[in-house]
């Protein structure tokens, strides 16, 4: 007899799973459990062991997860073509869009293995800088054959304090207002401004 199909799970069900949250709290992690779960999902995507896709419209999407097995890849392709429904009778409403490769995958494809330490640094960078900056910094590091996180981090810090080249006006009169604001919020002396808010 064939094995039962592996279900696609709603990401929200994973994020709110009582046993998983309790297990992470017992571990004594410094971060809230949902941060650890999200980090684990991102790492699973980065290592190509998880699939994530969304359904519904942009205003109210539903995110789904599955193990990245050959069977689930085939089933996801069938879902996209409308040839099948979810295992166990679940339904998906609206178009299905597979998440594009994220920063973790981009890093692994161009720089190296995403270790737990690198994952934490990438997550921190995503909180500080636009995702497009991180992608561009990785590209710049690769173009100079400087494939390490420290170099990428220096590029991001330089852009945060001095603005990116594409953010200066055409006459080269310096960074735009947005880049100048970023310099104060994320630069060397950002702590001074944060304490005044």
């Amino acid at each position: 007899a064939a094995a039962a199909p592996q279900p696609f799970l709603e990401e929200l069900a994973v994020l709110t799973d009582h046993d998983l949250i309790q297990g992470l709290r017992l571990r004594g992690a410094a971060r809230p459990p949902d941060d650890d779960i999200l980090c684990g999902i991102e790492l699973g995507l980065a290592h190509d062991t998880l699939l994530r896709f969304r359904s519904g419209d942009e205003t109210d999407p539903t995110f789904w997860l599955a193990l990245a097995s050959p069977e689930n890849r085939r089933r996801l392709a069938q879902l996209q073509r409308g040839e099948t429904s979810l295992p166990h009778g679940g339904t998906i409403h609206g178009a299905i869009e597979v998440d594009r490769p994220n920063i973790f995958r981009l890093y692994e494809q161009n720089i190296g293995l995403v270790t737990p330490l690198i994952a934490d640094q990438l997550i921190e960078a995503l909180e500080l800088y636009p995702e497009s900056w991180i992608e561009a910094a990785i590209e710049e590091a690769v173009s100079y054959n400087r494939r390490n996180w420290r170099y990428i981090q220096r590029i991001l810090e330089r852009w945060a304090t001095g603005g990116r080249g594409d953010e200066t006006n055409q006459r080269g009169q310096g960074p735009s207002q947005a880049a100048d604001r970023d310099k104060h919020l994320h630069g060397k002396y950002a702590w001074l401004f944060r304490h005044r808010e």
Side-chain angles (χ1 to χ4, degrees), residues 184 188-197:
H184 294 2
K188 184 176 180 181
Y189 300 106
W191 61 274
L192 287 170
F193 295 94
R194 287 194 192 115
H195 287 292
R196 293 174 189 258
E197 291 176 355

Side-chain angles (χ1 to χ4, degrees), residues 47-79:
H47 289 285
D48 206 26
T49 57
L50 278 181
L51 300 172
R52 179 167 57 189
F53 63 97
R54 65 181 151 237
S55 64
D57 58 34
E58 289 184 15
T59 58
D60 188 27
T62 302
F63 291 88
W64 301 85
L65 297 170
L67 292 176
S69 66
E71 180 65 19
N72 281 344
R73 290 181 193 279
R74 185 183 62 73
R75 193 171 281 117
L76 179 55
Q78 289 175 330
L79 279 170

Side-chain angles (χ1 to χ4, degrees), residues 164-180:
R164 283 186 61 190
D166 59 357
E167 291 181 346
T168 57
N169 65 28
Q170 292 183 350
R171 295 183 182 175
Q173 294 177 353
S176 67
Q177 282 185 322
D180 202 42

Side-chain angles (χ1 to χ4, degrees), residues 42-43 45-47 52 99-114 118-119 121-127 129-139 149 152 156:
E42 294 298 327
L43 284 170
L45 293 170
H47 289 285
R52 179 167 57 189
D99 269 0
R100 66 181 185 83
N102 58 30
I103 292 299
F104 297 94
R105 181 166 295 172
L106 184 66
Y107 185 93
E108 285 208 322
Q109 289 170 345
N110 293 282
I111 308 298
L113 182 68
V114 175
I118 293 292
Q121 290 172 326
L122 285 168
I123 289 170
E124 186 178 333
L126 282 167
E127 292 171 357
Y129 311 108
E131 190 170 339
S132 60
W133 281 29
I134 302 170
E135 292 170 356
I138 290 172
E139 288 174 18
W149 173 248
I152 294 164
L156 292 167

Side-chain angles (χ1 to χ4, degrees), residues 1-14:
Q6 298 173 23
F8 291 113
L9 296 173
E10 280 194 54
E11 188 175 73
L12 183 60
V14 176

